[in-house]
Amino acid sequence: MTKYLSILGSTGSIGRQTLEVVEQMEQIRVVALTAGTNVERMAEQCRKFRPELAVMATEDAARQLENELCGENIRVLFGMDGLIAAAAYEKADTVVTAVVGMVGLRPTLAAIQKKKRIALANKETLVCAGELVMQAAREYGAEIIPVDSEHSAIFQCLMGCGDRREVRRLLLTCSGGPFYGKTPAELQGVTKADALRHPNWKMGHKITIDCATLMNKGLEVIEAMRLYDLPLSQVEVLIHRQSIIHSLVEFRDGAVMAQLGVPDMRVPIRLALTYPYRAENPAAPLDLLTCGALTFDQPDETAFPCLTLAKQAAELGGNVCAAMNGANEVAVAKYLADEIGFYDVPRLVRQAMESVPFVKTPDLNEILEADRLARAAVERFA
Ligand code: NDP
Ligand code: MG
């Protein structure tokens, strides 16, 4: 049966890899694509994949795209309304959420309300408003299939597990990032260029910095809690430098399930599109005879306080995760712009978290407000 895809963030790392998977499969058609401001790449994708709708973040970029696509039968929209239109696009049955940041929240909710399958890469959405998103998915009967490699691994380990009470804990593996083993003193002066050199994965800049600070793993702990409805005490982080074991589930009877594979995001992307089936992957599979030794270690939360901050936000709940995430997005943008140092990121996140008034059971507006206040706080404290 043909599948109809809308890809939010098609010009990014996950978006482009999704299109590579689409090219390898016959029965997928792309109906909507969205991007930020990269007009050139979007125009290229439009000519190749012929969506019915293309969306840019700004009006200016949308006008440029229209000029590029002059004469083609592709509707062009822009801004949040455009993003929501792509998420809720009538013909799409599956929406890949591959935009970066909290900007993905409202489109994700819009797609859920239209009962689309969500192939979810945009973890910030679940971090900010996981309870609302999961509640809406249950209410509308929309499937959420994780694309994040760790969460896809857990999803696969849980196939056939009928009762969540059988799960003792989730073990989220973490490569440790480019700065594994470094002391706080050594980390003081690390540059953006050092941080962007991830050992195992090639990804967008924001998530690559999150991997260097270990905030990515903190966000993933919260993502796992929301996806699998488990408390913080049942989600643990395990350093595994090789990124071969993508995560594990320990069950009540002591059995431990793991999912292994070469580090390649196209594997979880493909599964999120084809589930409950598995499609042929043309790439070479994992070779256990040559992949080397698999090692494990504990994360160093003294050197990487972002992980601790995310766990604190998870423990406090309410609107704190949204505040933490919003603060981190701004702090990372500042680090990428060479405006602040490595340890300013956790400092600013902590200060912003402390400055946003606590709301125990926030609605969508209160979540958006916590995000806004946290962003403003980072600007103040930077
Ligand atoms: P990229 O930065 O590579 O891509 C982001 C995409 O979002 C681009 O298409 C970009 O457009 C678009 N975009 C950026 N800002 C806006 C905005 N304000 N409005 C609308 N669109 C916007 O990110 P990644 O692909 O690396 O990551 C995407 C998401 O997936 C993140 O949440 C990340 O945490 C998650 N993820 C990524 C993994 C990876 O391997 N990359 C692994 C697991 C999860 P443009 O190109 O025009 O700027
Ligand atoms: Mg991940």
Side-chain angles (χ1 to χ4, degrees):
M1 204 174 74
T2 304
K3 275 201 172 286
Y4 295 91
L5 276 198
S6 172
I7 307 175
L8 312 183
S10 63
T11 52
S13 163
I14 293 289
R16 293 195 314 269
Q17 293 180 83
T18 303
L19 287 170
E20 283 173 35
V21 170
V22 168
E23 277 188 289
Q24 293 164 355
M25 297 178 62
E26 279 170 14
Q27 290 191 310
I28 301 192
R29 205 175 122 41
V30 173
V31 291
L33 295 176
T34 88
T37 51
N38 191 339
V39 174
E40 202 183 323
R41 189 169 277 158
M42 177 56 113
E44 225 172 82
Q45 292 182 345
C46 283
R47 288 191 197 100
K48 188 161 182 184
F49 293 94
R50 320 244 16 119
E52 296 172 11
L53 173 66
V55 178
M56 301 302 296
T58 64
E59 184 166 8
D60 190 41
R63 294 290 153 264
Q64 286 178 44
L65 182 67
E66 270 177 343
N67 284 340
E68 284 281 330
L69 296 177
C70 179
E72 315 255 0
N73 191 19
I74 298 175
R75 192 164 160 227
V76 177
L77 295 175
F78 65 90
M80 184 49 77
D81 290 348
L83 205 50
I84 289 174
Y89 197 67
E90 182 82 37
K91 269 198 200 160
D93 47 55
T94 301
V95 177
V96 180
T97 62
V99 289
V100 59
M102 148 86 164
V103 69
L105 174 55
R106 287 169 59 203
T108 303
L109 287 171
I112 288 173
Q113 284 161 9
K114 294 285 180 185
K115 301 184 173 28
K116 316 279 190 205
R117 167 181 291 189
I118 313 292
L120 188 136
N122 177 229
K123 65 188 83 184
E124 292 89 353
T125 287
L126 278 191
V127 170
C128 292
E131 277 123 342
L132 291 183
V133 170
M134 296 309 289
Q135 169 61 30
R138 276 190 297 274
E139 197 177 308
Y140 289 93
E143 285 175 302
I144 297 189
I145 316 282
V147 166
D148 211 348
S149 56
E150 296 77 2
H151 306 76
S152 176
I154 291 166
F155 182 80
Q156 294 175 65
C157 294
L158 288 175
M159 284 176 183
C161 167
D163 186 343
R164 210 40 60 78
R165 285 171 304 183
E166 291 179 351
V167 173
R168 197 183 277 158
R169 55 186 186 145
L170 308 180
L171 289 159
L172 278 185
T173 52
C174 172
S175 74
F179 300 143
Y180 170 75
K182 286 204 187 302
T183 63
E186 290 168 331
L187 285 170
Q188 284 295 347
V190 289
T191 64
K192 174 176 93 179
D194 300 326
L196 286 175
R197 240 173 266 129
H198 194 281
N200 305 342
W201 301 95
K202 192 155 173 11
M203 310 172 285
H205 281 185
K206 193 262 177 180
I207 184 174
T208 307
I209 300 301
D210 285 344
C211 287
T213 61
L214 291 207
M215 179 55 97
N216 182 54
K217 211 46 57 177
L219 300 178
E220 291 187 353
V221 166
I222 300 169
E223 185 184 8
M225 289 167 64
R226 302 299 179 247
L227 280 169
Y228 303 111
D229 196 19
L230 290 169
L232 181 63
S233 58
Q234 282 177 270
V235 183
E236 277 174 45
V237 174
L238 187 63
I239 300 285
H240 166 54
R241 293 294 284 158
Q242 299 78 24
S243 300
I244 296 290
I245 298 184
H246 297 304
S247 278
L248 314 90
V249 177
E250 180 186 302
F251 292 91
R252 169 172 284 207
D253 61 356
V256 179
M257 302 280 287
Q259 186 252 328
L260 286 73
V262 288
D264 180 346
M265 287 308 296
R266 288 168 297 190
V267 174
I269 292 170
R270 189 179 289 105
L271 182 68
L273 302 184
T274 62
Y275 176 81
Y277 306 105
R278 289 183 185 269
E280 193 61 32
N281 178 356
L286 173 65
D287 181 355
L288 286 169
L289 291 177
T290 57
C291 76
L294 304 182
T295 60
F296 305 96
D297 195 1
Q298 292 222 330
D300 176 356
E301 293 191 34
T302 313
F304 300 99
C306 280
L307 179 55
T308 315
L309 287 169
K311 287 186 188 170
Q312 283 168 355
E315 195 66 64
L316 291 165
N319 61 348
V320 185
C321 293
M324 186 268 303
N325 178 74
N328 182 59
E329 285 191 30
V330 181
V332 169
K334 287 189 180 298
Y335 183 71
L336 282 169
D338 290 320
E339 289 172 19
I340 60 171
F342 188 73
Y343 277 122
D344 288 322
V345 175
R347 173 182 65 82
L348 290 167
V349 171
R350 182 172 36 76
Q351 286 178 308
M353 274 167 68
E354 286 166 2
S355 78
V356 174
F358 182 67
V359 180
K360 194 165 170 34
T361 44
D363 60 19
L364 182 59
N365 283 332
E366 287 165 324
I367 281 168
L368 295 171
E369 178 65 3
D371 173 76
R372 195 187 63 74
L373 289 174
R375 285 168 193 267
V378 172
E379 297 293 348
R380 262 198 330 276
F381 296 128

